[in-house]
Amino acid sequence: MSSAKKWVAASLAGVLWIMPVIGSEGMPQFGQAAPAASAASAVTVNKLGEEVITSGAIMMKYKYTTTRSGKRATGLADVIRVDLNNPYVSVDVMTGKGGNLTTRQSTGGMAKETGAVAAVNGDYFNTGGEGSPIGGQVTAGELLSTPSQLNGMYAFAVTKDRKPLIDEFTFEGKITAEDGAQFPLSGINKGAYNPEGGSSTYSHAHAMYIYTDAWTALERPKNSSTTPTEVLVENGVITQISENAALPMAVPKGAYILRTHGLAAQYVTAHLTVGQKLTSTYALISKTTQQPLDPATLQTMIGGHTILVNNGKAATFSRSTSSIGGVRARTALGYSQDGRYVYVIAVEKNNNSSGMSLTELQSFMTGIGVWKGLNLDGGGSTTMVDRPLAETTATLTFDTEYGTEQRSIVNGLGVYTSAPKGEVKGIKISGDSVLLIGQKASYSLKGYDTYYNPIDVAAGNPAWKSSGGSATVSAGEVTAVKPGTVTLTATSGTANASTEVTVLGGEDLTSLTVGTPTAPLKAGASVSVPVTAATKSNGKVTVPNSALKWEYVGFEGSVQDGKLTVNSVKEGVSTGYAIARYDGFSTAVVLSTAAATSWEDFENVTYPLAFTTNVPAVKGTAAVVAGNGERAGSKVLSLGYDMTAGSGKMYAYAQWNGTTGKEVPAAATAMSLDVMGDMSLNWLRAEFVDNGGATVYVDLAKIIDWNGWKNLNIDLSGSGMKFPASLKRLYVVNVEEGQDERAKTGTVAFDNIKFTMPSLSSEAGLPKGSAMMSIGSKAITVNGAKKAIDVAPIMKDGSTYVPIRYVLDAFGGSAAWDPATKKIMVLRGSKALDLTLNKKEFILNGKRQSAEVAPLLLQGRTLVPLRLVSEQLGLTVKWEQKTKTVTIES
């Protein structure tokens, strides 16, 4: 073997499995040898911008557009372009924790640990295995994992003379005893798997593998279906041999263990003894050229899956992609035709982006200049981190499929800088770009040098100033004063930097949302009332308490440190309101005696509960059982499931009271329950049947990503459910897309289910009946009794206007007029309605909406559009054209 080298006791890695390989995108069908032909789906690419990460590496943001099933789809992709001609930048493979195989860590965690300025997730791995990559891996010039004997699995590498390559490799090696006898090596640091094209279906049968101290797991490997004979080699000398049993130890540092079985174990018995020297040689073999490649010539290598791009064109897939298909988040690697640039690619799938299919990814890659490229693990694993200019650490580039959560994986590709410290090139102001009136925020000044790496500039005691009067600044602390945009400028020595800060006013908001929309109306009650603002630019901002003005109707109260406390309740009041105002925009907490009503605690269940499923092969139980741990002494509803024999989209239901469910008697605005999670990453839902017979599905948790008990609070106000309704099922869903990411067995439990039903008091206590008014008549007839009013309803431009006071007198509620802002706040039951004179926009329960007509002023009285107000307050309006009469009913 011309490029063979002596075995050096070094960290090597690679793992496979008896079962097919599992990656987060899905389960690659390794038994399907026939390649799938691909036809690239056209993707239009638009570069949104770029920013330098470090000398030789830039981040480029792209927007893409494509057509799927006749509909336009858009999304975002992030590309780190690494210039291999720049001597200060490099790429290398990160491994688990501490650089050890059989450990897992998030992409961000590995980047922080290794000092990477940017990184993405890496190779596919078996989620049920020890925790090591499927493909080959070289880190810092050292072979850590050998390729698996699987067809069509490509790898990306960079040679020590900084040339990129993508190829499919096999591994060849041998062990030589002191007597000259040799035996072939099958791999280094590999897990158990099903090889393709060999004589055995078990990777470790009659085979010899090397395990180094990088393999930290005590099993070498687990689930191999073989009993090993193991040989410990230290400093090239055999120090222990364990026949027909694994050595009871981890691999000592600097040593390696030769793991053998069958024919390989017979070789050990015949040729190896303690005290003898043992040597090993090995090489990688290109399947394309059949030529050997000395791993010593590589700086780095990472395994992937199918090839995607070859010679600048979409390539025929080298493996079946049936199980990693669909539209997902994607990760890929490639390089340019001249070999100068490496492209590190991540496609987002989140609230801002739709993800990509593999054929769309091919089109995208060719569109940005990739000459040759391959697919890395994707889906829930897709993660990219990068270090923003002048910052010291890499942070999440975009939300993953799981939000801000990063999946723990076995390796990733990092981008590194070795540049020396340069001179100050520029400075940058770091801090919020959006503030609210009254908010205080700290801003820092950070610098970067001539190599675009962070440099300390704080020691220069920078000077700060702001333009305009919307905000003031002192020593980096900014106070927002009024709506508008200010330019914040900082100067340090001869360098200066500016940034724009926008102070939002009420007109910039679309909604104000209180985290706890309802609360108990009783003295001493205290609830957390965090307020979040949604802006017209689709942003979300946490509103500091200093920016809010609170008003209390029906009770005396206060808000301190984000908590609303009821001090006293006015006599005879059953519904109160805590109104939060921000620059004329309002939202309200409705307080009633029915808040958070206990609905089921499972202590005395008299109705049947049963386990059901949509797939006969799925098994499980649903029953009230005694709690344990923190629930000891109480009862809980336990839902256990086993979906391992099922397929497709699978459900495990806890079915309530046969098919009828259990009634939720009144309009519920929120639901709370305690849930014991099982970290299965499955989807947790509730199914209701409402008063109109419609099925309403409510998400309790998109991902069960916790163990132990957790309280969930669910907003039902936007569900459209008609009450009374029935809770029919609580259930776990294992969806087909990315199914390998989630556990198919587990147990969840439920306790203390409560519903917030303000209608039990705030709505049910409102007057019922009907009222009639006629255009031009200063009279109103309420439930047959006629009385005078001081201003008559009018008809204007096809709309009827009435003095709101008389509607509320008839049907309950109150109205308050603010002459300074020309606003009318209408409160009725669980509704808080904010109207503005001569403005068509109105705010209902904290959400900005638009009407066709606006309130107006007539004879010193405020008249409001009758249909708008009555329908928003839950009343029914009927119009009689002949008599010009309006009938309002509740």
Side-chain angles (χ1 to χ4, degrees):
M1 207 177 293
S2 61
S3 60
K5 81 169 199 180
K6 248 184 193 180
W7 170 257
V8 178
S11 298
L12 305 172
V15 128
L16 287 166
W17 27 163
I18 284 256
M19 297 301 294
V21 175
I22 301 174
S24 73
E25 285 183 302
M27 184 181 291
Q29 302 300 309
F30 290 145
Q32 299 177 16
S38 67
S41 298
V43 172
T44 302
V45 179
N46 177 33
K47 186 193 245 185
L48 299 179
E50 62 181 51
E51 184 174 283
V52 177
I53 298 174
T54 187
S55 178
I58 63 172
M59 168 69 76
M60 302 182 290
K61 174 79 82 172
Y62 291 91
K63 181 178 180 180
Y64 61 85
T65 304
T66 188
T67 301
R68 298 177 190 139
S69 302
K71 295 182 179 180
R72 183 172 178 266
T74 63
L76 300 171
D78 304 86
V79 179
I80 300 169
R81 192 186 71 187
V82 179
D83 185 356
L84 295 180
N85 284 358
N86 186 308
Y88 298 121
V89 70
S90 62
V91 295
D92 207 352
V93 182
M94 316 176 296
T95 310
K97 293 181 179 179
N100 293 317
L101 294 172
T102 67
T103 63
R104 305 185 196 191
Q105 190 173 193
S106 69
T107 302
M110 286 187 282
K112 182 178 181 180
E113 185 178 279
T114 62
V117 297
V120 291
N121 61 290
D123 198 354
Y124 284 83
F125 61 98
N126 176 13
T127 57
E130 293 89 349
S132 58
I134 289 167
Q137 179 180 326
V138 173
T139 297
E142 204 162 356
L143 182 62
L144 296 185
S145 171
T146 54
S148 303
Q149 188 178 312
L150 298 168
N151 299 318
M153 301 291 283
Y154 276 71
F156 168 90
V158 177
T159 63
K160 287 184 177 176
D161 59 356
R162 302 177 70 80
K163 303 297 182 185
L165 61 93
I166 290 176
D167 205 345
E168 187 181 2
F169 295 100
T170 60
F171 170 78
E172 287 186 6
K174 60 184 177 182
I175 287 289
T176 303
E178 240 181 40
D179 64 3
Q182 296 180 332
F183 197 90
L185 277 172
S186 294
I188 301 168
N189 290 338
K190 304 305 293 182
Y193 70 103
N194 297 76
E196 293 172 358
S199 59
S200 175
T201 58
Y202 299 104
S203 56
H204 284 62
H206 301 290
M208 178 183 290
Y209 287 82
I210 281 175
Y211 289 87
T212 75
D213 57 8
W215 183 277
T216 56
L218 294 180
E219 292 183 271
R220 293 177 290 271
K222 65 180 182 180
N223 300 327
S224 68
S225 298
T226 58
T227 300
T229 287
E230 292 195 333
V231 180
L232 176 62
V233 182
E234 299 179 276
N235 298 317
V237 176
I238 299 169
T239 59
Q240 289 188 56
I241 296 177
S242 176
E243 293 189 11
N244 298 317
L247 287 163
M249 64 174 71
V251 181
K253 188 169 181 59
Y256 68 88
I257 287 177
L258 197 64
R259 199 265 191 203
T260 68
H261 170 265
L263 296 176
Q266 293 175 23
Y267 165 84
V268 171
T269 301
H271 300 285
L272 303 186
T273 60
V274 172
Q276 289 183 336
K277 291 182 180 179
L278 194 66
T279 59
S280 63
T281 55
Y282 58 84
L284 300 173
I285 307 297
S286 166
K287 284 192 176 182
T288 303
T289 66
Q290 301 303 313
Q291 295 300 307
L293 174 68
D294 187 349
T297 65
L298 299 179
Q299 168 61 27
T300 192
M301 182 173 75
I302 191 167
H305 189 253
T306 181
I307 190 170
L308 293 174
V309 176
N310 196 18
N311 296 329
K313 298 179 181 179
T316 298
F317 295 143
S318 55
R319 287 200 68 86
S320 169
T321 59
S322 59
S323 60
I324 60 173
V327 178
R328 300 296 304 273
R330 300 285 180 188
T331 311
L333 283 173
Y335 60 84
S336 59
Q337 183 174 4
D338 59 5
R340 176 176 178 176
Y341 297 114
V342 171
Y343 297 93
V344 183
I345 302 163
V347 179
E348 303 179 27
K349 186 174 184 183
N350 47 38
N351 291 333
N352 302 314
S353 178
S354 62
M356 276 189 189
S357 68
L358 283 177
T359 52
E360 290 167 353
L361 180 56
Q362 290 177 305
S363 176
F364 174 81
M365 292 170 73
T366 57
I368 64 171
V370 174
W371 181 250
K372 195 166 187 177
L374 55 70
N375 185 49
L376 293 180
D377 192 12
S381 290
T382 291
T383 307
M384 177 179 279
V385 297
D386 72 284
R387 188 187 69 186
L389 191 63
E391 299 296 328
T392 57
T393 58
T395 55
L396 198 61
T397 307
F398 53 84
D399 283 355
T400 69
E401 287 191 352
Y402 295 145
T404 57
E405 295 295 322
Q406 296 185 43
R407 189 181 194 191
S408 291
I409 54 176
V410 300
N411 69 4
L413 189 76
V415 179
Y416 299 88
T417 179
S418 60
K421 184 176 180 180
E423 300 297 320
V424 176
K425 182 176 180 66
I427 58 176
K428 177 183 175 183
I429 297 173
S430 295
D432 294 330
S433 60
V434 174
L435 296 177
L436 297 167
I437 299 169
Q439 185 175 358
K440 293 182 183 292
S442 295
Y443 289 74
S444 60
L445 191 61
K446 299 181 179 180
Y448 55 95
D449 66 11
T450 45
Y451 300 104
Y452 298 92
N453 292 324
I455 193 169
D456 184 17
V457 294
N461 193 24
W464 295 82
K465 67 178 182 179
S466 65
S467 66
S470 291
T472 61
V473 62
S474 176
E477 183 175 82
V478 174
T479 302
V481 177
K482 63 181 181 180
T485 300
V486 300
T487 300
L488 189 64
T489 303
T491 303
S492 178
T494 59
N496 64 76
S498 298
T499 189
E500 285 195 345
V501 178
T502 300
V503 180
L504 298 177
E507 292 299 317
D508 299 308
L509 308 184
T510 58
S511 70
L512 277 180
T513 303
V514 186
T516 308
T518 57
L521 185 64
K522 61 180 180 180
S526 180
V527 295
S528 177
V529 285
V531 178
T532 303
T535 69
K536 289 182 177 178
S537 59
N538 297 321
K540 286 192 175 182
V541 184
T542 299
V543 184
N545 197 52
S546 59
L548 295 168
K549 293 182 179 179
W550 288 88
E551 302 170 17
Y552 311 102
V553 177
F555 71 100
E556 298 294 331
S558 61
V559 174
Q560 296 290 333
D561 298 323
K563 282 197 170 184
L564 168 66
T565 300
V566 179
N567 298 327
S568 62
V569 180
K570 295 181 180 179
E571 188 175 351
V573 172
S574 61
T575 303
Y577 304 87
I579 303 167
R581 294 190 183 278
Y582 174 76
D583 193 37
F585 203 105
S586 67
T587 189
V589 179
V590 181
L591 296 91
S592 72
T593 56
T597 300
S598 179
W599 184 81
E600 183 59 83
D601 61 8
F602 302 104
E603 294 303 315
N604 296 290
V605 173
T606 58
Y607 50 86
L609 289 160
F611 176 86
T612 60
T613 180
N614 67 316
V615 177
V618 172
K619 307 300 179 184
T621 57
V624 175
V625 301
N628 52 36
E630 63 181 88
R631 299 294 157 130
S634 65
K635 294 180 179 179
V636 300
L637 171 59
S638 176
L639 172 61
Y641 56 92
D642 184 346
M643 302 178 177
T644 53
S647 61
K649 194 172 186 177
M650 295 176 288
Y651 300 83
Y653 299 106
Q655 182 93 27
W656 295 68
N657 201 23
T659 58
T660 60
K662 183 183 176 183
E663 187 181 63
V664 181
T669 58
M671 174 185 183
S672 73
L673 69 166
D674 297 336
V675 178
M676 186 190 75
D678 58 2
M679 193 59 80
S680 62
L681 303 184
N682 287 313
W683 186 10
L684 190 65
R685 306 192 87 192
E687 180 182 328
F688 294 83
V689 177
D690 76 0
N691 194 38
T695 299
V696 180
Y697 301 100
V698 175
D699 290 340
L700 303 180
K702 292 295 287 185
I703 305 168
I704 306 174
D705 57 357
W706 71 94
N707 281 314
W709 288 95
K710 179 180 180 180
N711 179 254
L712 304 181
N713 289 284
I714 314 300
D715 182 11
L716 298 177
S717 59
S719 66
M721 205 181 319
K722 297 177 182 178
F723 291 89
S726 292
L727 176 59
K728 184 178 179 181
R729 295 164 166 165
L730 295 175
Y731 60 104
V732 171
V733 187
N734 187 285
V735 297
E736 198 165 6
E737 187 179 66
Q739 200 164 61
D740 64 289
E741 300 174 22
R742 292 172 294 279
K744 290 187 177 181
T745 61
T747 300
V748 295
F750 309 92
D751 197 10
N752 296 332
I753 301 177
K754 299 178 181 179
F755 287 97
T756 299
M757 296 178 277
S759 59
L760 288 177
S761 59
S762 58
E763 304 288 349
L766 294 171
K768 301 289 184 181
S770 65
M772 290 190 297
M773 288 183 284
S774 297
I775 300 299
S777 172
K778 293 185 177 182
I780 183 171
T781 301
V782 180
N783 295 332
K786 188 174 183 179
K787 67 175 184 177
I789 57 178
D790 58 3
V791 59
I794 66 167
M795 179 74 76
K796 184 175 187 296
D797 298 328
S799 294
T800 304
Y801 292 79
V802 298
I804 187 61
R805 166 191 160 190
Y806 298 106
V807 176
L808 297 175
D809 284 347
F811 298 103
S814 64
W817 163 252
D818 185 343
T821 61
K822 301 188 183 305
K823 288 182 178 292
I824 311 111
M825 170 60 84
V826 180
L827 303 172
R828 182 177 187 270
S830 60
K831 306 292 179 63
L833 178 64
D834 221 345
L835 302 164
T836 305
L837 196 66
N838 299 321
K839 287 191 68 173
K840 293 181 180 180
E841 284 190 338
F842 63 92
I843 299 167
L844 177 64
N845 289 353
K847 294 181 181 179
R848 188 188 297 275
Q849 300 183 45
S850 184
E852 295 180 358
V853 290
L856 53 83
L857 194 66
L858 181 67
Q859 299 174 9
R861 289 284 187 185
T862 303
L863 276 69
V864 298
L866 175 61
R867 188 171 295 277
L868 162 68
V869 174
S870 60
E871 290 183 353
Q872 296 301 331
L873 296 181
L875 302 173
T876 302
V877 176
K878 296 179 181 178
W879 168 253
E880 174 53 54
Q881 178 65 29
K882 290 183 180 180
T883 60
K884 306 294 189 206
T885 298
V886 175
T887 301
I888 309 169
E889 297 177 340
S890 66

